């Protein structure tokens, strides 16, 4: 018996030695991840549709449905016919996934003016409105059921009393030149909004059927033309902020722009959307594709940590996000 234990101990020593720190190779970023990636949702201007896409495929084909897990367009059906989707659903711009009272929703806007909150997966309409010609560019759903919309050429952030009904257009409004992004942050309980030169922290007042907005923070951007605003899932209390020339992280507690991992690789011009997957930490970036027939669109998304790419065949994507209800 002693001989058997001695043999087993020797085998263990060999295994441990082979895996000792001195002999180990450097582990790549993301090594040892157990969680599966979140799905990806994108606004595709080529087909005027929103797609939820499999993260495990390198290429998706909307025509055949290969890699498409779910899709929606305001052009389908009659539920939004009263809002003139033929024009109001021109150039879909924003897509997000949110949860309210145990139900999940797709949030979408289009440059033509349509803003909508659509049930997932049943496609029922929670709220929708034609916001006009101000280029509706971003949207968020607040915990009280109201809906915030940022419009870039309109130069405003609106908080619609969506909790009062599916077509209610009553709203509070704050001026913000070049308003491109809006995000409800549960940590600060503020509605953050990104414009061409400023990042605003907005306090929500009133009640859901008659909301009010007031500015409590006004932060100058380091560079011009703010574009995307999204939570940093790996660092609660931070926001991704993109401008025409750079990608930043903003600390809501410090009210300052701060450095972040992989900044030297990710930072760059023209980023239309960015976000990190709460399941894996992988970073998803959409930026215009050189030579694309649409100057602000792309058929290819870029991934970091680990690096990679995903392609929507014949696509004209504008923004793309991880399909997650978290809003850290």
């Amino acid at each position: 018996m002693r001989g058997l234990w001695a043999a087993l101990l020797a085998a263990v020593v060999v295994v441990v030695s082979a895996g000792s720190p001195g002999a180990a190779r450097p582990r790549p970023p993301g090594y040892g991840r157990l969680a599966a990636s979140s799905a990806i949702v994108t606004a595709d201007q080529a087909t005027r549709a929103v797609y939820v896409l499999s993260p495990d495929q390198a290429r998706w084909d909307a025509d055949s449905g290969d890699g498409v897990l779910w899709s929606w367009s305001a052009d389908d059906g009659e539920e939004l016919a009263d809002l003139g989707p033929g024009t109001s659903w021109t150039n879909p711009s924003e897509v997000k996934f949110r949860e309210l009272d145990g139900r999940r929703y797709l949030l979408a806007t289009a440059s033509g003016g349509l803003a909508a909150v659509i049930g997932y997966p049943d496609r029922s309409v929670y709220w929708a409105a034609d916001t006009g010609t101000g280029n509706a560019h971003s949207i968020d759903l607040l915990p009280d059921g109201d809906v915030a919309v940022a419009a870039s050429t309109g130069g405003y952030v609106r908080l619609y009393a969506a909790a009062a009904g599916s077509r209610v257009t009553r709203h509070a409004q704050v001026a913000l030149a070049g308003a491109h992004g809006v995000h409800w942050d549960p940590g600060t309980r503020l509605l953050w909004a990104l414009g061409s030169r400023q990042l605003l922290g907005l306090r929500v007042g009133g009640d859901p059927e008659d909301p009010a907005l007031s500015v409590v923070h006004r932060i100058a951007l380091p560079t011009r033309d703010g574009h995307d605003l999204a939570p940093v899932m790996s660092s609660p209390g931070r926001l991704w902020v993109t401008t025409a020339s750079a990608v930043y992280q903003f600390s809501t507690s410090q009210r300052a722009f701060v450095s972040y991992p992989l900044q030297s690789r990710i930072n760059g011009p023209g980023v239309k959307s960015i976000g990190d997957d709460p399941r894996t930490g992988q970073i998803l970036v959409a930026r215009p594709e050189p030579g694309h027939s649409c100057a602000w669109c792309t058929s290819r998304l870029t991934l970091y940590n680990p690096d990679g790419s995903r392609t929507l065949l014949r696509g004209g994507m504008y923004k793309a996000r991880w399909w997650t209800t978290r809003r850290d």
Side-chain angles (χ1 to χ4, degrees):
M1 179 64 70
R2 287 183 179 179
L4 175 60
W5 279 111
L8 289 172
L9 179 60
V12 169
V13 169
V14 169
V15 170
V16 171
S17 297
S20 65
R25 295 181 179 180
R27 292 178 174 180
Y31 180 89
R33 286 197 180 106
L34 298 178
S37 297
S38 300
I40 293 170
V41 61
T42 188
D44 182 50
Q45 297 190 357
T47 56
R48 294 168 56 93
V50 169
Y51 299 110
V52 178
L53 302 163
S54 169
D56 301 321
Q57 294 187 213
R59 289 152 57 101
W60 308 302
D61 189 337
D63 289 348
S64 68
D66 186 26
V68 178
L69 306 177
W70 186 85
S71 64
W72 176 83
S73 174
D75 296 327
D76 299 337
E78 298 297 322
E79 280 196 280
L80 299 179
D82 59 309
L83 300 178
T87 54
S88 66
W89 183 237
T90 302
N91 292 345
S93 52
E94 179 67 281
V95 281
K96 292 180 181 178
F97 192 24
R98 291 289 183 258
E99 189 169 7
L100 178 67
D101 297 333
R103 294 200 60 191
R104 295 179 292 173
Y105 296 97
L106 162 76
L107 280 58
T109 61
S111 296
L114 186 67
V117 179
I118 305 298
Y120 175 83
D122 64 4
R123 301 181 179 84
S124 60
V125 178
Y126 168 80
W127 175 86
D130 181 354
T131 63
T133 59
N135 191 15
H137 215 77
S138 188
I139 185 172
D140 212 345
L141 177 63
L142 275 64
D144 63 7
D146 284 351
V147 175
V149 174
S152 60
T153 59
Y156 62 73
V157 178
R158 288 177 178 172
L159 182 57
Y160 286 89
S166 63
R167 288 295 190 279
V168 171
T169 57
R170 185 169 58 258
H171 62 267
Q173 181 170 315
V174 167
L176 178 60
H180 268 76
V182 66
H183 171 71
W184 169 259
D185 175 48
T188 58
R189 296 198 60 80
L190 295 176
L191 182 65
W192 292 89
L194 180 65
S196 58
R197 301 297 299 273
Q198 294 180 322
L199 176 66
L200 301 185
L202 304 172
R203 190 172 308 284
V204 175
D207 60 66
E209 296 192 359
D210 188 19
L213 285 175
S214 59
V215 179
V216 293
H217 301 305
R218 194 181 295 270
I219 297 100
L221 299 181
T223 55
R224 294 188 175 193
D225 298 328
H227 195 278
D228 195 37
L229 181 65
V232 180
M233 296 298 190
S234 61
S235 298
R238 291 191 181 191
L239 301 172
W240 291 105
V241 175
T242 77
T243 67
S245 59
V247 177
Y248 303 99
Q249 284 190 7
F250 177 80
S251 167
T252 58
S253 60
Q254 301 175 53
R255 294 202 293 278
F257 293 92
V258 295
S259 61
Y260 58 91
L262 300 180
Q263 183 170 357
S264 61
R265 299 189 57 221
I266 295 169
N267 187 34
V271 170
K272 299 301 184 185
S273 66
I274 186 169
D276 52 315
D277 185 355
R279 293 184 177 183
T280 66
Q282 192 171 35
I283 296 167
L284 175 68
V285 173
R287 54 166 57 92
E289 180 181 356
H292 198 286
S293 58
C294 167
W296 50 80
C297 299
T298 185
S299 63
R300 183 176 179 271
L301 305 174
T302 303
L303 296 166
Y304 297 93
N305 189 36
D307 295 357
S309 65
R310 299 290 184 270
T311 299
L312 178 62
L313 299 178
R314 300 170 296 280
M317 296 180 285
Y318 186 64
K319 293 182 185 178
R321 303 200 185 280
W322 296 108
W323 192 233
T324 173
T325 58
R326 283 181 54 184
R327 11 168 145 218
D328 302 14

